Each structure stands twice: as structure tokens, then as C-alpha cells.
Amino acid sequence: MLTDTIIAKRTSGRVTCALVPQPQWAKSRILADQAVESLGLRALGDGWLEVSESDALRIAAGVLGRDLATNAVIVPAAEADALVSDLLAMVPEPFTCFTNGDWADVFGEESQHTNGFSFDPLTESALDAGIVCVGDGVTAVLWVEDED
């Protein structure tokens, strides 16, 4: 299964990756909270930052491919991009994506490191980041925890 492959590829930190079925309709932020809570992560409610699909792809590939503390490569960029694209292809469009900080800036082409960055944690780890993409009936969660 793709989610197991993604978890296995990132050999450091803790990775949570799942497609969470959600048969009932609710607002996207509520469904995002329900999905992460079902996986043992903390809900953010109004703390979720909505991001575009392109930013969600950049964030997800960044957290999958690089250590959040050291920026060391864990999964080559092309492979991380492909895995994340395959994951998001499993979420019915249109979908709404959320994250917990300005990670799109961190993983943008101009950025070199995460120093001085703030985020709203979902875990007790020193650093955690990822995406939650809410579609019709299913929510994709890719979340990574690293220690500095």
C-alpha cells in the first residue's frame, strides 16, 4: 500500500501517513481535526493554515525528503515528489489542504533552513510538519516528527 511505502521510505523521525475515510459531511477544518485525532495527533481547529495544492505538494515532498532539524536529504527530491503526487491523487477533487506553519516558505526554492521558524505543533516532538488534504469522503494525512 502506498501509505506503507511512504512511511518505510523516510528512515528517520516518526512518519504518520494515512488515507482516512470520512463518510459524513462537515467543514474541512473539522474533518482535518477528526482525521489527525484518529491517528493520535492533536487537532488545531482554527489554527490550521489553508494552503494551495501546489504548496501542499511542496510541503509534503519537503517533510518527506528532508530532516526538519538538519535539512539533510532522507528521500531524494524526485522520489519524494512522485510519492506525494501519488498520495494526493487518491484524494477526490476538489480538496482543501492544511498545514501547521509557513512550511511552503521553508521548503521554497529560496530557503536554506528552518531557523527562526514558528509552527503550531500536533505532537510532543521538537519539530513536526506535514499536510492534511480533505476531499469528498477521504482525507490524506502525511505528518513527520523530528528531533533537533
Side-chain angles (χ1 to χ4, degrees):
M1 178 175 242
L2 178 63
T3 54
D4 295 332
T5 300
I6 289 171
I7 291 168
K9 286 287 180 184
R10 194 173 195 283
T11 55
S12 70
R14 179 172 180 255
V15 179
T16 301
C17 185
L19 292 165
V20 180
Q22 297 183 298
Q24 79 285 8
W25 183 90
K27 291 185 177 181
S28 294
R29 287 178 196 277
I30 293 169
L31 293 174
D33 279 344
Q34 289 174 352
V36 297
E37 285 179 323
S38 76
L39 299 170
L41 303 171
R42 184 173 75 89
L44 290 183
D46 290 337
W48 287 114
L49 297 174
E50 188 171 339
V51 295
S52 68
E53 182 178 344
S54 61
D55 281 350
L57 286 165
R58 180 174 26 257
I59 293 164
V63 300
L64 181 62
R66 296 195 169 267
D67 184 281
L68 298 177
T70 66
N71 209 30
V73 174
I74 299 170
V75 178
E79 186 176 2
D81 287 343
L83 288 166
V84 169
S85 292
D86 289 348
L87 178 68
L88 292 189
M90 300 175 92
V91 181
E93 292 191 32
F95 52 82
T96 306
C97 299
F98 300 100
T99 191
N100 65 332
D102 289 325
W103 294 108
D105 294 339
V106 171
F107 294 113
E109 294 176 17
E110 303 299 316
S111 181
Q112 295 298 315
H113 206 40
T114 58
N115 285 345
F117 180 74
S118 65
F119 63 96
D120 199 355
L122 272 67
T123 71
E124 297 299 319
S125 296
L127 295 166
D128 71 68
I131 58 161
V132 179
C133 293
V134 180
D136 185 18
V138 67
T139 297
V141 177
L142 174 57
W143 214 261
V144 171
E145 301 169 53
D146 281 326
E147 297 298 334
D148 53 1

